[in-house]
Amino acid sequence: MSMPDAAQKPEAGVATPPVHVAIIMDGNGRWAAARGLPRREGHRRGVEALRNVVKAAGELGVRYLTIYSFSAENWSRPADEIEDLMGLLKRFVRNDLADLHKNDVRVRIIGERANLKPDIHALLSEAEELTKNNSGQTLVVAFNYGAQQEIAQAAKKLAEEVASGKLAAAEIDAAKLAAHLHTKDIPDPDLIIRTSGEQRLSNFLLWQAAYAEFVFVPTHWPDFDKAALQAAIDEFHKRERRFGGLDAKARA
Ligand code: IPE
Ligand code: IPE
Ligand code: MG
């Protein structure tokens, strides 16, 4: 979506929660290894953390929560780990969808849907369909998601529009490209959190992160909880976002 107007920034000192928090849930494997447990146990505990953090984000007033659940590159992991992850996703949707719906959560999926196994495809569509008219918190699940792939498919759509005469090449701008991203009707993330100590994006929301604030925490994902989310939001509030302009003091 478009860049926020600097004039819409909240007054300094007024701590309105970030509208959109996106989380790279990393470190399940290391959490398990540190305890002598199989990686799959880390993923299982990761789902429990996710359940709590979705609830916590709602309580803290976060309108949009995006979670990076499986990257386009994660297919390169061993087959048994992929099987574990798919099993957990299916269980999460089956067990938690009714509750999410009851809590007025709208579920959205971003990522490449073509070529997914039919059962996974059906579950993801069911989650979106059931919750599409909910007006509470939006939970955006990035599944089989890769930002470069997302941008490339948007470029392809624009090229097709130009080829068919619907669009002039000279009319292409950032807004036209953004209108073809999976996130077209979702505001850009204000805050991106990555757990596990890694400080990289790993192909997550590259376009949408243009003016996001980043908080990297050493905690492995299964240990991330409401207090950790609150701490990341507190850190976010200490940042001065300028969107290319000047801060209030320099402007005066
Ligand atoms: C995050 O934990 C879950 C997914 C990427 C699906 P990891 O599985 O990446 O855990 P580490 O990074 O190996 O510890
Ligand atoms: C990013 O974590 C993907 C998800 C959290 C789903 P990875 O563990 O796959 O990232 P890299 O490989 O360390 O960059
Ligand atoms: Mg990892």
Side-chain angles (χ1 to χ4, degrees), residues 13-236:
V14 178
T16 45
V19 172
H20 183 174
V21 175
I23 306 184
I24 303 172
M25 311 183 290
D26 197 15
N28 292 349
R30 280 164 284 168
W31 181 93
R35 289 159 181 79
L37 298 168
R39 290 179 62 84
R40 119 177 130 259
E41 185 57 19
H43 295 314
R44 198 185 66 73
R45 291 291 296 264
V47 175
E48 286 178 20
L50 170 62
R51 201 171 278 136
N52 291 332
V53 169
V54 172
K55 187 163 159 272
E59 290 163 0
L60 295 173
V62 173
R63 301 284 306 161
Y64 292 82
L65 177 70
T66 296
I67 48 148
Y68 203 5
S69 68
F70 194 84
S71 76
E73 289 74 32
N74 285 148
W75 295 109
S76 64
R77 295 194 180 194
D80 60 340
E81 176 156 351
I82 291 177
E83 219 171 283
D84 289 339
L85 288 166
M86 295 302 138
L88 281 171
L89 173 80
K90 285 192 255 185
R91 227 170 307 148
F92 177 70
V93 176
R94 286 200 195 106
N95 294 342
D96 289 60
L97 184 59
D99 266 355
L100 291 169
H101 184 45
K102 203 173 69 201
N103 293 333
D104 204 22
V105 175
R106 184 170 52 140
V107 179
R108 286 280 312 272
I109 317 290
I110 57 170
E112 186 49 61
R113 221 78 74 89
N115 302 326
L116 290 180
K117 287 212 174 123
D119 57 339
I120 300 263
H121 196 290
L123 271 180
L124 298 179
S125 301
E126 181 196 332
E128 280 191 321
E129 190 53 33
L130 177 71
T131 62
K132 68 178 182 202
N133 295 321
N134 290 347
S135 55
Q137 186 191 6
T138 298
L139 174 65
V140 183
V141 180
F143 179 80
N144 191 24
Y145 177 84
Q148 291 181 336
Q149 294 85 335
E150 178 190 34
I151 295 166
Q153 66 78 33
K156 189 163 145 197
K157 291 218 177 100
L158 290 175
E160 285 165 1
E161 288 178 13
V162 171
S164 70
K166 248 177 77 184
L167 180 73
E171 289 174 314
I172 294 176
D173 59 12
K176 290 245 168 22
L177 191 137
H180 287 295
L181 297 174
H182 302 157
T183 52
K184 60 179 182 293
D185 47 1
I186 298 169
D188 287 344
D190 301 291
L191 168 61
I192 296 181
I193 301 167
R194 183 171 188 148
T195 58
S196 89
E198 308 296 354
Q199 302 193 6
R200 56 176 171 262
L201 280 176
S202 302
N203 206 12
F204 185 51
L205 300 179
L206 300 182
W207 175 283
Q208 298 85 344
Y211 276 97
E213 297 295 330
F214 293 92
V215 171
F216 298 103
V217 295
T219 318
H220 290 315
W221 175 250
D223 287 331
F224 196 83
D225 59 8
K226 185 175 183 180
L229 178 62
Q230 179 67 67
I233 291 175
D234 290 346
E235 170 63 29
F236 169 83

